[in-house]
Amino acid sequence: MENRARSQSLVSESKVPEVTLGFWIIKIAATTLGETGGDTVTMTLNWGYLAGTFLFLAAMIVLVAAQIRATKLHPALYWATIVASTTFGTTMADLADRSLGIGYTGGSTLLLACLVLVLGLWYRAEGTISVNSVSTPRVEAFYWGAITFSQTLGTALGDWIADTGDMGYGGGALIFAAGLAIVAALYFWSRVSRVTLFWAAFILTRPLGATVGDFLDKPLDHGGLALSRPLASLVIAAFMVACLLLIPQRAGQHPSNDHAAERA
């Protein structure tokens, strides 16, 4: 009994939910909502990419600040921040690719370089980029920086495959779903780093959600189903709320500093 209590004292809770199947279901729904929600503001409401980008950037800054100030995991706050980052990623990628003329290839390459840089700085500072270590303001700053670049990169990749690659939205969704299936197979049947697989899956879920979202709301002559963007966003948001109510949201855990010192 004493050993069990001592073992529990040697771990601290992360401010990221435990990574389970439920986590990935909600993540895919959040990325799809980011695509339809972003398009609702920039296209349906005619705000344009620049105004939409500033709107969602402001929302993301407020929510990230609230997330960092929180002392423990609050699932609703965490997933609201994820949705804000993915809608910002949608509008930012569209602004760079279309309005600024960088193009899908150039945008994807630039964003990949930014993501690798943030992860590299995080690893150099902390010795790990595991999401289970997200429990201090400094680590959270690295985490949300990586999240933002990965969400924007995912949007650019989704558009790149669907448009430049002439795969269409349905074909793009199948490609990214296959990529996730490969990551899952590596998780269950290989010894590839779990941290590496997490970030690979996190990046791939974004373009999957982006292509699914585009498939739902783009015009028929563009390969979509031409569904109402606001309605699709409302349905996806309701699905997310249901998932949050039905799927347990436990905080991930990682060794505390005392435990790390003891092992050293």
Side-chain angles (χ1 to χ4, degrees), residues 55-261:
L55 171 66
F56 292 120
L57 175 61
M60 187 181 71
I61 290 173
V62 170
L63 289 168
V64 167
Q67 176 74 17
I68 291 176
R69 291 190 63 182
T71 58
K72 63 179 182 178
L73 170 67
H74 297 284
L77 174 60
Y78 174 83
W79 286 110
T81 310
I82 289 291
V83 171
S85 72
T86 196
T87 46
F88 169 72
T90 295
T91 56
M92 183 63 207
D94 287 341
L95 175 67
D97 295 341
R98 300 168 186 173
S99 298
L100 300 183
I102 296 176
Y104 299 128
T105 304
S108 298
T109 302
L110 177 61
L111 290 165
L112 177 60
C114 290
L115 175 59
V116 171
L117 176 62
V118 171
L119 292 175
L121 291 173
W122 180 0
Y123 186 83
R124 182 174 181 180
E126 301 294 330
T128 179
I129 54 174
S130 170
V131 295
N132 286 338
S133 67
V134 180
S135 59
T136 66
R138 183 170 77 166
V139 177
E140 278 200 275
F142 283 123
Y143 175 75
W144 288 109
I147 291 298
T148 300
F149 282 122
S150 70
Q151 303 279 43
T152 312
L153 171 62
T155 300
L157 285 175
D159 290 339
W160 186 20
I161 293 296
D163 294 341
T164 306
D166 294 326
M167 296 298 299
Y169 301 117
L174 289 175
I175 287 175
F176 294 117
L180 283 171
I182 292 172
V183 171
L186 290 173
Y187 177 85
F188 287 109
W189 297 301
S190 82
R191 295 184 179 181
V192 175
S193 165
R194 292 332 189 220
V195 174
T196 300
L197 292 177
F198 170 85
W199 284 108
F202 203 96
I203 292 170
L204 286 171
T205 52
R206 179 64 190 101
L208 174 60
T211 50
V212 170
D214 282 337
F215 179 68
L216 293 175
D217 65 28
K218 293 301 182 186
L220 295 174
D221 58 357
H222 283 70
L225 296 179
L227 299 180
S228 163
R229 294 185 184 107
L231 178 59
S233 300
L234 182 62
V235 171
I236 297 166
F239 175 76
M240 279 192 66
V241 171
C243 288
L244 288 174
L245 293 174
L246 297 174
I247 299 175
Q249 297 289 299
R250 295 182 292 268
Q253 294 185 334
H254 68 97
S256 68
N257 291 335
D258 292 341
H259 190 197

